[in-house]
Amino acid sequence: MTAPVTLSLAVNGAVHEVTVPPRKLLSDVLREDLGLTGTHVGCEHGVCGACTILIDGQPARACLTFAVQMEGHDLTTIEAVSEGDRLSPLQQALHQVHGLQCGFCTPGIIMTVTAYLRDHPDPDEVEIRDLLSGNLCRCTGYQNIVKAVIRAAAEIRARAPA
Amino acid sequence: MSVAAKFSQIGKPLPRREDRRFLLGKGRYLDDIVPPGVAQVCFLRAPHAHARIVGIDSTAACALPGVIGVFTGRDLAEWTTPLRLAPPIEGLHPVEMTTLPIDKVRFHGDPVAVVVARDRYVAEDAVDLIEVAYEPLPCVADTASALAPGAARVDESLPDNLVSHQSFSAGDLAARRAEAARVIETTFDLQRHTHVPLETRGCMADWDEGREHLTMQIGTQVPHPLRGQLAGRLGLSESQVTVISPDVGGAFGQKIALYREELAVAALSRHLGQPLHWREDRAENLMAASHARETRCVTRAAVRGDGRILGLELELVEDFGAYCFYPANYMARVIAMILTGPYRIADYSFDVKVVLTNKCGNGPMRAPMAITSWVMDGTLDAVARELGLDAVEVRRINALGPGDLPYTMATGEVLADITSRETLEGAVSAIDISAFRARQARARDEGRLVGLGLCTVVESTTYGSQFYKAAGIPGSGHEAAWVRIEPSGAVNASVGLMGTGQGYETPLAQAVAEGLGVSAETVTVHMGHTDIAPYGMGSRGARGATAGGGTLYLCARKAQEKVLAIAAGMLSLNDARGLRLRDGHVERRLDDDWQPTGLGLKDIAQRAYLDPTALPDKVAPGLDVSLTYDPPPMTYSNATHACEVEIDKFTGRIDIRRYLVAEDCGTVINPLVVEGQQHGAVAMGLSGALFEQVIYDETGQNLSATLADYLVATATELPKVEIIPMHTPNRSTPAGIKGMAEGGIMGAIGVIANAVNDALAPLGVTATRMPLSPQYIRALVREADENQERTGEA
Ligand code: FES
Ligand code: FES
């Protein structure tokens, strides 16, 4: 039952073959087997949101998912958000307005918000606070994260071809 | 304004250096740097609050494939010494604890045995296979039962559970009571909190058998003190231990002590001769890392009819939990020392009891004195309520004004360079109290509950060595730094602090840059490595800016002096008078103007390192300067918080309509970082006041071991915080720095309670405990309804 199984995982545009026990969490496989340590683990029970990644483009908790469930799905992690060395508009805005402190919650927040802005280019503050309510941040009080999301959304809209 | 004007690097809102790596997912938190294949550690934890350990059978666990070993308190006792805390403080009992419990467990979650295994999954399986025979003992789950005669003793080496008791009196309280129009008693119950850093505790210990050297990678606020603890308890010299702190995902006071788990991991690495990694899970973090607060205060204010407080008595009882990782008087003492804060109260007494119970041990949590401002300003509000006076007027009549400073508090602490009266007026005018009162009157007519709170905070920020000595708390408040200008002119610096998210790398570089005369971009500050950083006291309280920034600033100034002495030689001048370094260039004063000399820092560095025979007399080669600095006994920041709330009486929900802070935290090194600290502190204060609670049932079972039970505020529950900067420099610290980052919590806890009680006033009920949960608010509203029915019937 716990004998390792071999599976292939499509992560950030590359396919990786891993051999892991069926009970191994996706968060652990990403971090330990694939070396993608940008996905953080804050609770392992689905509350804090630090482990948020995109599964087929939708935000999901990597700590509530087994890696063996992920064959045939397309995974995106924080490591694939920047454009090469260039920070994404959201990353840039978080930097400029001091939307992060210890940075432990930050990758999860970036994944949640990045997916949302794709479909909701002009969110208001209430909507943003609602969106962020699935991600805990113990450091910032969220105020500057909200500010960064507003700024990033404006930047993305400005960049979009008219 | 005038504060910032004379600086060129201090005061700039530079975005933080560490951001880039965090944003890219390239931070290096502990788990990110553990090499593959390192064995994992997992602890078995007690299911009982209080029980004798009769026997531990680890046969089945040891037999599990992948298990390297199972160890108990008895094993650890062979390789480590116990922690003994016996500071010579009157009324404080000495205590001692072993590395892991041997004879009995003292709280639900106490570590009982430890497994080392190939991976975490196997280690957890093995933990489940360990059989422990317990003999449950009666438990004490609150201070009242712990203090009852004949109560079970948490620590059987003590006569009872009262581990610390101190009292103090200044002036003549009996006389003040006799003179008073009224004596008003008020109760404040602050519940048990825990820190919840988003990254839990963890460490990786690596014993190098060949060199006989331990490398401990651990997220810590205090690398050097931790090294001393580790070395001492493992019987090693400090030269045999290196502590390295990688990036840390928050700490808030939870990462100061050397915990038993960490010491066990280090000892086992040495015993097994292999590196070991431990990461606690969230349940362990919530149950067994460290708790905080759970303090009950009762004040008795002897007042005149106009609200002037003639005398104030404080009774404080803290529920300290089962183990002392700090002297038990440590947090409570500070509350009692600084309680009167912004007010002129000469006749003051306190009685402070710290009690052991069968709960996780307490430690300092961001603003260990969090309750202080609630107790003080809540007392003033009670006075106003009872006497039918205006709450602002009651504050004014008791407030210390500029003319009273420096002011020696009844406890002997000296307040200087504070502006609490000014921030009170700043907040009062920004919130427009008269407009609010008009709105409130209309709302009350409609049966709505609307309230306004005020809370003035005098925040003790930087504790100098003299404070510790005077307060009877063991410790030192000094800090150490070095600044090195490398041959290329690059600037490296180091200090004994360790950041855990604050963003030290940028503001501390600004402090060095200001002192030296270069731009902040050219300075790199190295922290968190005991072989690199000088021995300092680390990060605790709000000492980062004054002790850390101040020491670096002074050290950099000393470095500038040497640079200029060398420059003088190169310019064939007799001495360095009339020279300065600006932006890395040596300038010379000619008449009223600073003129370039053509010399840059690199030229000076080249001479210092590569051509020392050409240096002026008595100037030694190299540019490597170090310095230690002990701040004044105490520095204070101050602020006034104001907040407007509406309570939904049917659901008990508190809606924060407006929140502002008028703050004076001295010279601000980096306004962006300071603003982040203000937001974060207010958020943590409100989260604690409204939601958080460690819950134990009467048998000592912890019922709040997930983040679905221990509730931390999310983005939807917190307000936007308006900040009114009213900074004035401290005249006795380097660059006028005061420090900050904890006062926001003190203010938030006080102001929200005061606002809620203002809203509840028409109902004739008062909230006296936290959290101000919907359930509690509903209970108060029901109580009011019942009171009304009763009066209606009568
Ligand atoms: S680690 Fe997955 S939600 Fe917290
Ligand atoms: S920045 Fe520390 S938890 Fe969000």
Side-chain angles (χ1 to χ4, degrees), chain A residues 19-39:
Chain A
T19 302
V20 299
R23 65 173 174 173
K24 193 160 183 178
L25 299 175
L26 178 57
S27 45
D28 287 343
V29 171
L30 289 171
R31 295 180 46 83
E32 293 167 16
D33 297 80
L34 301 183
L36 297 170
T37 54
T39 300

Side-chain angles (χ1 to χ4, degrees), chain B residues 200-408:
Chain B
T200 56
R201 295 177 302 161
C203 63
M204 179 168 64
D206 191 357
W207 174 253
D208 177 342
E209 185 55 56
R211 285 195 307 143
E212 298 187 295
H213 189 96
L214 175 73
T215 302
M216 185 76 160
Q217 309 235 35
I218 178 169
T220 178
Q221 301 171 233
V222 293
H224 289 94
L226 191 86
R227 181 189 66 177
Q229 285 273 315
L230 262 175
R233 296 189 60 194
L234 288 165
L236 299 170
S237 90
E238 280 174 315
S239 315
Q240 289 178 285
V241 179
T242 301
V243 170
I244 304 172
S245 182
D247 289 328
V248 188
F252 313 110
Q254 200 173 67
K255 298 173 182 172
I256 295 176
L258 172 65
Y259 291 101
R260 297 175 296 169
E261 293 91 339
E262 297 156 355
L263 177 61
V265 172
L268 287 169
S269 171
R270 185 181 181 193
H271 172 70
L272 296 169
Q274 67 180 98
L276 298 178
H277 173 221
W278 170 63
R279 164 67 56 201
E280 77 178 341
D281 68 19
R282 182 56 66 185
E284 295 178 281
N285 180 261
L286 289 168
M287 289 171 71
S290 175
H291 289 173
R293 317 228 199 276
E294 194 156 25
T295 299
R296 176 186 168 89
C297 291
V298 176
T299 57
R300 279 179 217 97
V303 291
R304 271 192 333 224
D306 60 0
R308 175 78 180 109
I309 295 183
L310 303 173
L312 182 69
E313 297 162 44
L314 166 74
E315 269 173 26
L316 181 155
V317 181
E318 179 179 353
D319 182 330
F320 207 68
Y323 291 101
C324 300
F325 290 93
Y326 302 86
N329 68 328
Y330 175 44
M331 283 87 77
R333 173 103 189 163
V334 175
I335 298 168
M337 297 282 284
I338 66 165
L339 178 70
T340 57
Y343 304 105
R344 204 162 13 93
I345 300 171
D347 296 71
Y348 171 62
S349 70
F350 64 71
D351 180 81
V352 172
K353 292 185 171 131
V354 183
V355 182
L356 296 182
T357 60
N358 292 116
K359 297 177 182 171
C360 176
N362 265 19
M365 174 171 164
R366 189 176 188 176
M369 63 313 204
I371 196 174
T372 310
S373 305
W374 177 31
V375 174
M376 193 60 238
D377 264 38
T379 296
L380 290 172
D381 274 352
V383 169
R385 251 191 330 268
E386 293 289 321
L387 300 179
L389 300 170
D390 178 79
V392 178
E393 287 310 321
V394 171
R395 284 173 171 76
R396 285 187 178 133
I397 200 174
N398 288 294
L400 286 172
D404 298 313
L405 301 174
Y407 179 77
T408 305

